[in-house]
Amino acid sequence: MTQTGFTVEIKIEKAQKLYGFQFDLKFDPSVLEAIKVTEGDFLKSIGGNTSFMKPSIDNNAGAIKNVMASRMSPGEVSGSGVLAKVEFNFKKAGTSPITFTLIKLSNEQSQPIPFAYANGSATLKITTYAKFKVQPSIVDNQVVAKVLIENAVQLRGYSVDLEYPSGLELLDVKQGEFLKENWKQ
């Protein structure tokens, strides 16, 4: 079974005197659907209260706006940790960049903190799987070998090599009905 839901952790590393943050994200809405955004634990790591604003999610535009939080208690946080978590579902197999369209970090005096960031992407690969089974039988004094496919997932074609004793002669090969019956365009 393919997992279609996943969580992206928005992490900060080597932060110095962080008191609050704000960011917006962009993603491909034909591939991903944003479910929810929750606060990470980094701003709470020294104790005290925080304020986390519920962001707006626009799955038609592929945008999450105004993910923001700040400490309500005195004290700035330094170090590394998770600022927020974003839950997504894949709508289809594919790849979507997840990019920041706005980032603001500030200290306790509401002054901006300089930073560098790295964007990421999400990829869903649908695994192709099939179990092949050979079912031999004798029909009219001929050996007939049926190649059966079981538990096929995302199969669009196949190739099979059969080995048989040198005393047998290959008379005919016929395509079965499996891909014809299950082919969807």
Side-chain angles (χ1 to χ4, degrees):
M1 180 187 288
T2 302
Q3 180 181 349
T4 59
F6 66 99
T7 301
V8 173
E9 292 184 335
I10 308 298
K11 296 181 179 180
I12 191 163
E13 295 182 359
K14 301 176 184 175
Q16 296 295 317
K17 299 181 180 182
L18 182 67
Y19 195 75
F21 66 86
Q22 177 182 354
F23 62 84
D24 294 349
L25 293 175
K26 187 90 175 137
F27 57 92
D28 183 343
S30 70
V31 176
L32 296 178
E33 173 187 34
I35 305 302
K36 72 177 180 178
V37 181
T38 56
E39 182 179 10
D41 57 3
F42 184 66
L43 287 181
K44 297 178 181 184
S45 64
I46 62 170
N49 296 319
T50 61
S51 172
F52 183 76
M53 303 294 291
K54 184 178 178 181
S56 67
I57 297 174
D58 184 346
N59 280 311
N60 292 325
I64 301 172
K65 295 193 178 272
N66 297 317
V67 178
M68 63 176 90
S70 67
R71 290 190 48 78
M72 301 304 291
S73 301
E76 298 163 318
V77 182
S78 295
S80 301
V82 177
L83 297 177
K85 296 177 185 180
V86 184
E87 292 182 33
F88 287 99
N89 279 336
F90 276 101
K91 292 172 137 180
K92 66 178 185 178
T95 301
S96 171
I98 300 172
T99 56
F100 291 99
T101 56
L102 168 78
I103 303 175
K104 294 179 181 178
L105 305 176
S106 61
N107 63 19
E108 198 166 1
Q109 291 76 40
S110 297
Q111 296 170 328
I113 298 173
F115 60 90
Y117 70 92
N119 282 318
S121 65
T123 304
L124 175 65
K125 295 178 181 176
I126 300 294
T127 303
T128 300
Y129 172 83
K131 181 178 178 182
F132 290 89
K133 178 178 166 184
V134 178
Q135 187 179 54
S137 62
I138 297 179
V139 177
D140 297 328
N141 290 326
Q142 294 180 345
V143 176
V144 176
K146 287 185 179 180
V147 178
L148 305 174
I149 299 173
E150 299 175 341
N151 303 323
V153 177
Q154 298 293 325
L155 187 66
R156 292 195 165 269
Y158 61 92
S159 173
V160 177
D161 292 327
L162 294 175
E163 293 182 22
Y164 51 90
S166 60
L168 296 178
E169 177 184 350
L170 181 64
L171 297 176
D172 192 14
V173 177
K174 295 179 182 174
Q175 181 179 0
E177 297 298 317
F178 178 77
L179 285 179
K180 290 179 186 176
E181 292 173 3
N182 294 294
W183 184 258
K184 295 177 184 172
Q185 291 184 326

